[in-house]
């Protein structure tokens, strides 16, 4: 097994997540796509940690997971607040602050 | 493939098949035990017609479930509706696979551990798969497209998240005392230093309470609370699919009891057995039987509590989880760290 | 390799058959199942190789990620994301990061995704439009840019500097265990660890304040 395989897999997953954020309009699905991207990055960290025989990469994955948990909590709270106000989770309807 | 792999595969397959058979039998007979004990508690007779003492009742029930018509309501979301009963059953079985039920012993010239998988991160795997249990209930409630089911599913996901936290905090105490994530090390440590329940009673009580909540058993069975939610998340299920939920409840009880025993009551340890000087195989059999007896006691406790304690109200449930169990669990962690610091545990 | 590609082709043909001729799904499925068994019988050696399994896991990961983006129903998206997270946990195992694999299941699948399920149930979202590519320049542009980005990454990874093979046997037993990570966390990354705890508290307070109905 080459490390390249995992890097490629991570690149593909990241691209899918990235396109998902741009294409979808449902706030919850957008949050999920962000999780997808974070996971792809985690996979790269683990692959490089494996290649360099250094566990620093694992520690970074740990921190990325912490950030992902915080982001999901706040993001979903925002979605709930949005839904309460507008009865929708479509990000295009949250246009009050738009010029 | 070389012979080592074949041997490992064969050994695991045999263990898994045996475990599966025993688990399903125990689950089937738990339904009988539940009804007999409840009858005894309420001064009734209970099922006593099929076979001696009603012992063949589970068989009759199984046949009944198999031949019942499976009604699939038209308004369900079918893929998830079909997936949910499986999702609720799998975690209970997977979690059991890391629990050691006896010491390793020599059999036919091979060293065989009486445990399906002796993994490095056993305790973490227990946490990981016990947290998977919520999906079955939540998805069953959601996919039924029925407001009672949805309420049941919502309640259960909130309840399971809250009590999982208390459970995790309680396990931290065990972890700190042992210094290893391996469940066989946990048991070994208790054999050396005495059972964990002696040192960390609050942690034990928190874990036990959380285990009741995680299995949706009586004082905490709000997800299916019959009197207010019809039957909660499994209102729309019938026939064999309903019986999957029914069996999963008992499978979860067996797994939770086995975990309580392993983490706090010394697992398969029998005090004073080493002094008797039994041959190794006989000692192993006694220890496995001791493990089964301990698990059986907790299974009985489950039934006993169900027919004794009334159901909590939803706000009481949340208060108990967050304001009661969590602080006690944290205090337990503090206490254990004090013990570890002094070198007493 | 033949086995892996064959199995993937079988799955793809089955998916196409289900989409276009749903009435013929069962016979087509049976025929493809027979093909699958024949493939396995033809090349059963490969079943024991790491390459085969990582290829299979990778295929499932990519497919589930695509379905997260495409599927119109948010709950199904959540389920496929969970499947994807499990695939990545398996990748972590292959990369000798066993602690990360378990943590991935506990934190992502056990906590974060439960939160998503909870919110989808709470808002009782129904299926909506799903993937709609026709709406404006952003959507079509996103796909084009995504393909370009993937091609660029592919090129970059291909032309990386000398990449050593790894030998799973050459690892010392401490790599990727909870002990190793704990040691690093509490020595070299102590400050970052404490900062992460503050981040979590801030996020917790933020979530409570945002989701509360009335503040007083």
């Amino acid at each position: 097994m080459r490390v390249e395989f995992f890097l490629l897999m991570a690149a593909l997953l990241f691209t899918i997540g990235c396109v998902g954020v741009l294409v979808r309009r449902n706030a919850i699905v957008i949050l999920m796509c962000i999780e997808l991207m974070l996971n792809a990055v985690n996979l790269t960290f683990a692959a490089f940690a494996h290649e360099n025989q250094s566990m620093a990469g694992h520690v970074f994955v740990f921190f990325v997971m912490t950030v992902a948990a915080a982001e999901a909590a706040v993001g979903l709270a925002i979605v709930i607040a949005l839904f309460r106000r507008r009865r929708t989770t479509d990000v295009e309807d949250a246009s009050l602050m738009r010029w | 493939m070389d012979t080592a792999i074949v041997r490992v595969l064969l050994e695991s397959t045999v263990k898994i098949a045996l475990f599966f058979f025993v688990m399903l039998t125990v689950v089937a007979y738990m339904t009988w035990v539940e009804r007999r004990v409840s009858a005894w508690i309420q001064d009734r007779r209970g099922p006593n017609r099929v076979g001696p003492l009603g012992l063949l009742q589970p068989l009759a029930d199984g046949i009944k479930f198999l031949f019942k018509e499976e009604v699939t309501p038209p308004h369900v979301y079918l893929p998830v509706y079909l997936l949910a009963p499986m999702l609720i059953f799998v975690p209970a079985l997977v979690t059991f696979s890391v629990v050691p039920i006896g010491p390793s012993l020599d059999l036919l010239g091979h060293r065989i551990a009486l445990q399906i998988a002796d993994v490095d991160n056993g305790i973490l795997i227990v946490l990981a798969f016990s947290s998977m249990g919520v999906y079955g209930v939540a998805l069953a409630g959601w996919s039924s497209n029925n407001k009672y089911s949805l309420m049941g599913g919502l309640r259960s996901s909130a309840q399971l998240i809250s009590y999982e936290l208390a459970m995790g905090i309680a396990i931290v105490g065990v972890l700190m005392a042992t210094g290893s994530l391996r469940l066989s090390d946990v048991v070994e440590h208790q054999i050396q230093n005495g059972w964990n329940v002696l040192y960390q009673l609050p942690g034990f009580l928190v874990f036990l309470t959380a285990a009741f909540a995680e299995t949706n058993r009586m004082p905490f069975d709000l997800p299916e609370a019959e009197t207010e939610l019809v039957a909660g998340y499994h209102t729309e299920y019938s026939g064999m699919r309903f019986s999957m939920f029914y069996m999963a409840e008992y499978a979860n009880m067996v797994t939770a009891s086995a975990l309580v025993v392993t983490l706090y009551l010394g697992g398969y340890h029998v005090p004073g057995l080493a002094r008797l000087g039994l041959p190794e195989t006989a000692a192993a059999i006694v220890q496995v039987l001791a493990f089964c007896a301990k698990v059986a006691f907790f299974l009985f406790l489950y039934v006993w509590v169900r027919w004794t304690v009334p159901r909590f109200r939803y706000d009481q449930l949340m208060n108990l989880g967050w304001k009661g169990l969590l602080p006690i669990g944290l205090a337990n962690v503090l206490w254990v760290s004090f013990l570890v610091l002094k070198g007493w545990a | 390799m033949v086995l892996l590609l064959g199995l993937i082709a079988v799955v793809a043909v089955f998916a196409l058959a289900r989409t276009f001729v749903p009435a013929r799904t069962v016979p087509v499925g049976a025929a493809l199942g027979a093909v699958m068994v024949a493939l396995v019988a033809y090349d059963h050696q490969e079943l024991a190789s790491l390459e085969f399994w990582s290829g299979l896991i990778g295929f499932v990961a990519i497919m589930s990620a695509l379905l997260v983006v495409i599927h119109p129903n948010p709950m199904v998206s959540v389920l496929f994301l969970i499947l994807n997270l499990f695939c990545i946990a398996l990748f972590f195992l292959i990369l000798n990061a066993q602690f990360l694999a378990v943590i991935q299941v506990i934190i992502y699948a056990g906590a974060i995704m439960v939160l998503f399920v909870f919110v989808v149930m709470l808002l009782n979202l129904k299926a909506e439009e799903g993937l709609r590519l026709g709406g404006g320049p952003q959507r079509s542009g996103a796909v084009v840019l995504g393909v370009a980005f993937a091609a660029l990454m592919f090129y970059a990874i291909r032309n990386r500097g000398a990449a050593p093979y790894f030998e799973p046997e050459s690892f010392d037993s401490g790599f990727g265990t909870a002990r190793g990570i704990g040691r690093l966390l509490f020595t070299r990354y102590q400050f970052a660890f404490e900062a992460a705890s503050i981040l979590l508290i801030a996020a917790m307070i933020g979530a409570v304040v945002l989701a509360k109905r009335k503040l007083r």
Side-chain angles (χ1 to χ4, degrees), chain B residues 74-128:
Chain B
H75 51 77
V76 300
Y77 189 75
L78 203 59
V80 180
Y81 176 81
L82 296 181
L83 186 71
M86 301 175 208
L87 276 186
I88 201 170
F89 204 77
V90 169
L93 297 178
V94 174
T95 313
F96 207 100
S97 68
V98 295
V99 175
I101 59 165
S104 57
L105 79 168
D106 280 315
L107 205 68
L108 312 171
H110 295 300
R111 195 85 194 152
I112 290 177
L114 292 181
Q115 181 179 13
I116 291 176
D118 191 9
V119 280
D120 251 345
N121 292 329
I123 294 184
L124 291 180
I125 286 185
V126 167
L127 277 179

Side-chain angles (χ1 to χ4, degrees), chain B residues 187-202:
Chain B
V187 175
E188 202 57 43
H189 176 264
Q190 292 180 79
I191 292 175
Q192 306 292 335
N193 304 328
W195 295 357
N196 277 333
V197 65
L198 302 176
Y199 299 107
Q200 24 188 315
L201 193 61

